[in-house]
Amino acid sequence: MNLFIKNVNMLKNGELAPTNIRIANGQIEGIGIGLSPQGEQEIDGNGRMIAPGFVDVHVHLREPGGEQKETIESGTRSAAKGGYTTICAMPNTRPVPDTIENLGRVNALIEKNALIRVLPYASITIREAGKERTNLTELKEHGAFAFTDDGVGIQQAGMMYETMQDAAKLDMTVVAHCEDNSLIYDGVMHEGKRSAELGLKGIPSIAESVHIARDILLAEAAGAHYHVCHISTKESVRVVRDAKRAGIRVTTEVCPHHLLLSEDDIPGDDANWKMNPPLRSKEDVEALHEGLLDGTIDFIVTDHAPHTLEEKSNGMNKAPFGIVGLETAFPLLYTHYVETGKWTLQQVIDWMTVKPSETFNLPYGKIEKGQTADLVLLDLEKEQEIKVEDFLSKGKNTPFGGWNCKGWPVMTIFGGQIVWQEETN
């Protein structure tokens, strides 16, 4: 299918400018206001914004093993609805992609069921149990995107150091969920005034920041690219900022929920507000904003983590950590930061496209001639309520239900094919 997208606006030097786009054989063949259709299927953008398909390097698809929570099909459909064309699947599945056989199984499922591009992580340790290391060389050769035990922190410094040394030789990234288990204290939310008010055990900030500080020094010694998952505390931001100034190759990401919410927003014992890392203090939120704006934090991810309604109905103490985020990320960020003048539209688009692509050397996140045609059409004027019952994800677990947002994706194109579009009456 060849497409001609007309009457759209594209960011150029920070400003929206009208253009047309011709797509042939899955690639962008031409961009410009002077282009005219030559028999392609025409799409009238009606003046809406065209952007590169979003890139999310931190997504949980649950398959294999957790299909009741999400599948590759439902998760990629949800991602397409949210404007994403490239996502990276975390390895905390069952079985874990810790061998070439298990990784091959994941790749076969992706090939069969994914609507968009899915790049699978491989684990650092067998079964993510933290005891025995995987064969990184074999896993890279069989399509691993990067290495992580996301969901759990690597507790042994020696194991992380050896992993970083091997990854550096392979020119691969070590991605870390940073959490020192000896400092969690069975916590279910941030240790602060709100946990005390609710009578719930708290997770102190140092559980995260201590691990990051350790790993940064290990990465420096190993000469590895080290990437920190879902940063959430002011101490963590400070440590990463200092490391970057020292020339250490460290990058990091932040989630919309950690930018938009703090512990003060948690209404009570409601597990839709339970995530890991937890919602922190207002001071932490301010530090995340500063870190994003000064380049300490590199880009934005969702950490999309679907669970069943039954699981999330068990209250903070018993429910699993995690919320969904693929379908709401851009509208939330656009409404609360671009519309309010705090950030520019260019900044948000860059943090969701080109920045993650550059960090992991991916050839995506841009609209240029010769590029793969991964695009999202955004209606910046469309305003509607976030309705969990309309999610395409199996997971409905979000604290943002009922929020009113502007700036919604209305069509997603992956490899020149329309993979999702808004239903019109």
Side-chain angles (χ1 to χ4, degrees):
M1 182 194 299
N2 294 340
L3 300 176
F4 186 83
I5 306 172
K6 63 183 181 181
N7 191 22
V8 289
N9 282 289
M10 189 175 89
L11 276 172
K12 189 173 183 180
N13 300 321
E15 299 293 329
L16 285 170
T19 195
N20 301 319
I21 298 175
R22 174 177 286 116
I23 297 169
N25 302 315
Q27 291 190 315
I28 297 171
E29 192 178 69
I31 307 168
I33 194 66
L35 292 178
S36 55
Q38 298 176 350
E40 304 94 346
Q41 177 185 336
E42 292 184 41
I43 297 170
D44 190 343
N46 293 308
R48 290 175 292 204
M49 178 185 175
I50 196 82
F54 301 145
V55 176
D56 190 343
V57 302
H58 195 139
V59 172
H60 299 270
L61 294 179
R62 305 301 188 202
E63 187 180 12
E67 289 83 355
Q68 73 279 12
K69 302 172 187 272
E70 192 79 287
T71 63
I72 289 168
E73 191 278 334
S74 66
T76 55
R77 193 175 295 279
S78 172
K81 185 180 179 183
Y84 290 88
T85 53
T86 300
I87 59 175
C88 302
M90 286 298 177
N92 54 344
T93 52
R94 292 295 177 267
V96 172
D98 53 5
T99 64
I100 57 175
E101 292 79 15
N102 288 341
L103 180 58
R105 181 180 175 186
V106 171
N107 277 319
L109 287 166
I110 290 167
E111 180 70 25
K112 180 182 177 184
N113 298 320
L115 276 75
I116 60 168
R117 184 180 298 104
V118 179
L119 308 176
Y121 283 91
S123 66
I124 291 170
T125 67
I126 300 295
R127 294 187 300 279
E128 287 198 332
K131 294 178 180 178
E132 183 183 355
R133 292 176 56 223
T134 57
N135 188 320
L136 303 190
T137 301
E138 285 187 355
L139 291 167
K140 177 186 178 178
E141 289 171 353
H142 286 79
F145 164 68
F147 305 118
T148 186
D149 269 14
D150 182 61
V152 286
I154 300 290
Q155 299 304 302
Q156 297 179 28
M159 180 174 285
M160 184 57 113
Y161 181 48
E162 291 161 14
T163 297
M164 288 178 171
Q165 288 177 311
D166 288 349
K169 292 171 188 171
L170 296 169
D171 195 25
M172 292 284 277
T173 304
V174 174
V175 176
H177 172 112
C178 294
E179 192 169 35
D180 186 317
N181 289 350
S182 69
L183 294 168
I184 298 173
Y185 304 119
D186 296 321
V188 297
M189 62 179 291
H190 174 64
E191 183 183 76
K193 60 180 180 179
R194 191 65 181 133
S195 63
E197 290 167 358
L198 293 173
L200 295 168
K201 288 184 179 179
I203 303 170
S205 295
I206 51 170
E208 173 181 295
S209 55
V210 161
H211 236 216
I212 294 174
R214 180 202 75 174
D215 284 355
I216 280 171
L217 294 172
L218 295 175
E220 180 182 31
H225 174 207
Y226 169 62
H227 181 75
V228 180
C229 290
H230 43 47
I231 196 168
S232 72
T233 78
K234 60 182 183 292
E235 296 87 357
S236 300
V237 173
R238 185 177 74 225
V239 168
V240 171
R241 182 180 288 119
D242 289 346
K244 285 193 170 189
R245 286 173 178 163
I248 301 169
R249 196 176 170 205
V250 56
T251 53
T252 189
E253 64 194 36
V254 69
C255 305
H257 45 274
H258 289 124
L259 294 166
L260 286 161
L261 303 170
S262 75
E263 59 174 341
D264 297 345
D265 295 304
I266 299 172
D269 189 9
D270 179 351
N272 282 321
W273 297 76
K274 183 181 180 181
M275 58 212 72
N276 193 4
L279 298 175
R280 303 288 188 181
S281 70
K282 286 184 177 177
E283 292 76 21
D284 292 310
V285 174
E286 289 171 9
L288 296 176
H289 290 162
E290 291 171 8
L292 199 51
L293 289 169
D294 72 14
T296 299
I297 299 172
D298 296 87
F299 53 81
I300 296 172
V301 301
T302 65
D303 190 12
H304 177 81
H307 294 290
T308 65
L309 182 62
E310 182 181 15
E311 287 173 311
K312 278 295 193 176
S313 298
N314 286 327
M316 286 279 214
N317 281 321
K318 293 183 179 179
F321 291 97
I323 66 168
V324 294
L326 288 168
E327 296 174 47
T328 57
F330 182 79
L332 284 167
L333 295 170
Y334 180 78
T335 301
H336 294 277
Y337 295 108
V338 179
E339 281 279 285
T340 57
K342 294 175 183 174
W343 301 342
T344 67
L345 181 57
Q346 185 75 65
Q347 284 174 313
V348 172
I349 295 295
D350 284 354
W351 288 327
M352 296 180 73
T353 59
V354 67
K355 295 293 186 183
S357 299
E358 287 177 350
T359 298
F360 286 92
N361 295 314
L362 298 172
Y364 313 121
K366 298 177 183 177
I367 302 179
E368 293 176 351
K369 191 174 179 181
Q371 281 276 123
T372 301
D374 296 344
L375 304 165
V376 57
L377 190 62
L378 299 163
D379 189 338
L380 301 182
E381 298 302 315
K382 181 181 178 181
E383 189 169 354
Q384 67 182 24
E385 181 185 324
I386 293 173
K387 295 181 180 178
V388 296
E389 61 269 23
D390 293 340
F391 285 177
L392 296 182
S393 171
K394 285 189 173 187
K396 314 300 178 189
N397 45 304
T398 177
F400 295 115
W403 286 40
N404 211 49
C405 292
K406 284 180 74 173
W408 290 87
V410 293
M411 179 182 288
T412 302
I413 295 168
F414 166 64
Q417 303 289 320
I418 299 169
V419 290
W420 176 82
Q421 60 184 317
E422 176 187 49
E423 292 181 10
T424 52
N425 298 325

